[in-house]
């Protein structure tokens, strides 16, 4: 019984770790995105609500998710725009 409990706790720890850092269906919760990329949540939310930014995020229910498949393209485009006149 004790071994089964340890195995179950180990599985639960893996599920928690995956849900925290792995993208679900190519999307990552904004809080976890901020934690993973060390970006303030206020900055990410500003990108989301600024229509000119076209930040790849979607609202499902009450939560915002970042589309991790589109994020690298967005980041590269923003990087190019920043150094456009340098």
């Amino acid at each position: 019984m004790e071994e089964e409990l340890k195995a179950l706790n180990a599985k639960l720890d893996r599920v928690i770790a995956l849900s925290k850092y792995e993208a679900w269906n190519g999307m990552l919760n904004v809080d976890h995105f901020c934690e993973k990329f060390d970006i303030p949540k206020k900055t990410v939310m500003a990108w989301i609500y600024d229509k000119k930014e076209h930040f790849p995020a979607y609202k499902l229910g009450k939560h915002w998710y970042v589309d991790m498949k589109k994020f690298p393209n967005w980041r590269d485009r923003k990087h190019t725009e920043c150094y456009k006149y340098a």
Side-chain angles (χ1 to χ4, degrees), residues 18 27 34 36 43 51 75 85-86:
L18 284 174
M27 298 190 328
C34 293
K36 184 174 182 174
T43 301
K51 299 298 181 191
R75 183 187 58 213
Y85 301 107

Side-chain angles (χ1 to χ4, degrees), residues 66-78:
V66 178
D67 187 337
M68 295 307 293
K69 294 175 185 173
K70 294 181 180 178
F71 175 70
N73 292 335
W74 179 86
R75 183 187 58 213
D76 292 343
R77 185 172 46 82
K78 294 309 283 181

Side-chain angles (χ1 to χ4, degrees), residues 29-74:
N29 181 296
V30 166
D31 293 325
H32 299 145
F33 174 83
C34 293
E35 187 177 324
K36 184 174 182 174
F37 290 97
D38 195 28
I39 301 171
K41 185 173 181 178
K42 188 175 182 178
T43 301
V44 174
M45 296 310 291
W47 289 339
I48 289 171
Y49 285 107
D50 185 353
K51 299 298 181 191
K52 291 184 276 183
E53 290 289 337
H54 301 291
F55 188 71
Y58 307 94
K59 191 171 188 178
L60 296 175
K62 293 192 235 179
H63 303 283
W64 282 96
Y65 295 89
V66 178
D67 187 337
M68 295 307 293
K69 294 175 185 173
K70 294 181 180 178
F71 175 70
N73 292 335
W74 179 86

